[in-house]
Amino acid sequence: RKEVEQDPGPFNVPEGATVAFNCTYSNSASQSFFWYRQDCRKEPKLLMSVYSSGNEDGRFTAQLNRASQYISLLIRDSKLSDSATYLCVVNHGGANNLFFGTGTRLTVIP
Amino acid sequence: NAGVTQTPKFQVLKTGQSMTLQCAQDMNHNSMYWYRQDPGMGLRLIYYSASEGTTDKGEVPNGYNVSRLNKREFSLRLESAAPSQTSVYFCASSGWTVGQETQYFGPGTRLLVL
């Protein structure tokens, strides 16, 4: 079983739509969680950390459900510039223990 | 601040050739990493260096060697390239941000081994 699993998509949504991605992880002892964004042929960049209580950054909301071992990312009012691949990342403890999902590809259509 | 820089951006090698990928960071981070990214797979850790003078194997170290030259620089060497090493290689360094250790990636090196 993979450490981190994501639906690869693609998700094609119109501008202004709300879209949600889920990610599941296998290790119940995982300690910290992140969403990274990766544009085509570019490096991953941190989008936001995911906290137990859930957290919001503008149009982006991240949630963590430890009991079910999944993480979600909600994007409201999608913009064309949100088109990218979103990587779910789970840390088992220590920065050398990061596990990356394969990513969910989002395309926002005009 | 340039962040994390990598050279070269692209490289084509023949099977059996050797090369070194260079990485440098100017954020004064202790820890640095080398990953590879292949289609349909998440980033996988090749080697990491928790501090200057130390290196450790990650998930997929076979066929690679690393050198932590100083606090800024961490290089990855392929001694005898194989087609299975065709990939995109990312270097990263990590530092603490808002109570969590966060990784920052370089722009990547696209390697094709023929």
Side-chain angles (χ1 to χ4, degrees):
Chain A
R1 184 182 171 189
K2 287 184 179 178
E3 295 280 350
V4 180
E5 297 207 56
Q6 295 182 251
D7 180 346
F11 284 65
N12 299 316
V13 302
E15 261 187 298
T18 296
V19 62
F21 309 135
N22 287 331
C23 161
T24 59
Y25 60 94
S26 61
N27 189 334
S28 59
S30 298
Q31 297 183 6
S32 52
F33 309 88
F34 309 89
W35 284 101
Y36 275 71
R37 172 194 168 125
Q38 186 172 24
D39 292 294
C40 189
R41 302 178 75 82
K42 299 286 188 181
E43 72 273 24
K45 292 184 178 178
L46 180 66
L47 178 66
M48 58 196 303
S49 301
V50 186
Y51 300 111
S52 297
S53 55
N55 48 298
E56 191 173 303
D57 183 1
R59 297 181 294 107
F60 299 84
T61 301
Q63 298 275 358
L64 168 64
N65 185 318
R66 283 192 183 271
S68 301
Q69 294 180 210
Y70 81 80
I71 306 148
S72 64
L73 178 68
L74 181 78
I75 305 175
R76 290 182 299 279
D77 188 23
S78 299
K79 312 289 185 192
L80 296 177
S81 57
D82 294 334
S83 297
T85 296
Y86 291 83
L87 307 178
C88 174
V89 183
V90 174
N91 188 338
H92 292 179
N96 57 299
N97 255 332
L98 258 61
F99 291 89
F100 290 78
T102 53
T104 298
R105 187 171 173 187
L106 171 67
T107 301
V108 181
I109 304 162
Chain B
N1 269 359
V4 181
T5 57
Q6 291 182 235
T7 56
K9 286 188 167 54
F10 305 96
Q11 185 71 49
V12 179
L13 292 178
K14 294 180 180 176
T15 297
Q17 287 185 316
S18 62
M19 77 163 295
T20 299
L21 284 65
Q22 307 286 354
C23 174
Q25 52 93 8
D26 62 2
M27 295 177 281
N28 202 35
H29 289 162
N30 286 319
S31 299
M32 298 184 72
Y33 313 82
W34 276 104
Y35 290 90
R36 60 179 289 173
Q37 185 175 36
D38 301 292
M41 306 190 77
L43 275 83
R44 292 181 293 167
L45 184 64
I46 304 171
Y47 270 95
Y48 67 98
S49 171
S51 62
E52 187 179 350
T54 69
T55 61
D56 284 286
K57 295 178 180 179
E59 182 185 354
V60 288
N62 291 345
Y64 305 95
N65 284 300
V66 290
S67 295
R68 183 74 182 267
L69 304 168
N70 47 55
K71 191 171 186 178
R72 289 188 64 246
E73 299 172 288
F74 188 36
S75 63
L76 178 72
R77 182 160 178 84
L78 287 70
E79 290 291 352
S80 179
S84 61
Q85 294 179 304
T86 293
S87 189
V88 181
Y89 291 86
F90 288 103
C91 177
S93 67
S94 64
W96 286 87
T97 304
V98 199
Q100 289 194 333
E101 193 165 7
T102 304
Q103 294 202 359
Y104 301 87
F105 288 84
T109 295
R110 296 182 175 276
L111 175 65
L112 173 62
V113 183
L114 301 173

